[in-house]
């Protein structure tokens, strides 16, 4: 894994879908936005596994106040403790 950009890419996809759900965007605009974030994911990652690891680590950093805290260690070891 080279980057944690997957967290932001994933949130971009969700925002596009929320925007459509809130009627701030047309279906075509939503699809265009999702295609853009998909292209960003494909440019940054070589596999779904790599994207997933970047997403999980980015999420952990986000919720651990952007530091490697206890939540990050639990997720990286898979122990849940």
């Amino acid at each position: 894994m080279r980057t944690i950009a997957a967290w932001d890419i994933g949130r971009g996809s969700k925002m596009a879908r929320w925007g459509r759900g809130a009627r701030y965007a047309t279906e075509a605009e939503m699809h265009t936005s999702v295609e853009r974030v998909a292209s960003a994911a494909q440019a940054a990652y070589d596999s779904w596994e790599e994207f997933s690891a970047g997403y999980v680590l980015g999420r952990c950093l986000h919720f651990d106040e952007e530091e490697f805290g206890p939540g990050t260690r639990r997720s990286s070891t898979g122990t849940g403790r």
Side-chain angles (χ1 to χ4, degrees), residues 6-44:
W7 172 245
D8 292 325
I9 293 168
R11 291 191 314 163
S13 172
K14 187 63 176 173
M15 291 302 296
R17 290 179 282 137
W18 280 344
R20 174 64 185 136
R23 298 184 181 165
Y24 289 125
T26 65
E27 189 165 340
E29 290 169 326
M30 178 198 67
H31 285 289
T32 298
S33 295
V34 170
E35 288 169 5
R36 288 178 68 190
V37 295
S39 293
Q42 291 169 340

Side-chain angles (χ1 to χ4, degrees), residues 17-75:
R17 290 179 282 137
W18 280 344
R20 174 64 185 136
R23 298 184 181 165
Y24 289 125
T26 65
E27 189 165 340
E29 290 169 326
M30 178 198 67
H31 285 289
T32 298
S33 295
V34 170
E35 288 169 5
R36 288 178 68 190
V37 295
S39 293
Q42 291 169 340
Y45 297 96
D46 294 328
S47 68
W48 177 249
E49 291 81 8
E50 194 176 85
F51 178 88
S52 298
Y55 184 89
V56 168
L57 185 56
R59 184 181 188 281
C60 289
L61 288 172
H62 177 82
F63 288 106
D64 270 351
E65 298 179 15
E66 308 220 357
E67 295 181 10
F68 288 102
T72 309
R73 284 190 290 278
R74 282 193 302 270
S75 293

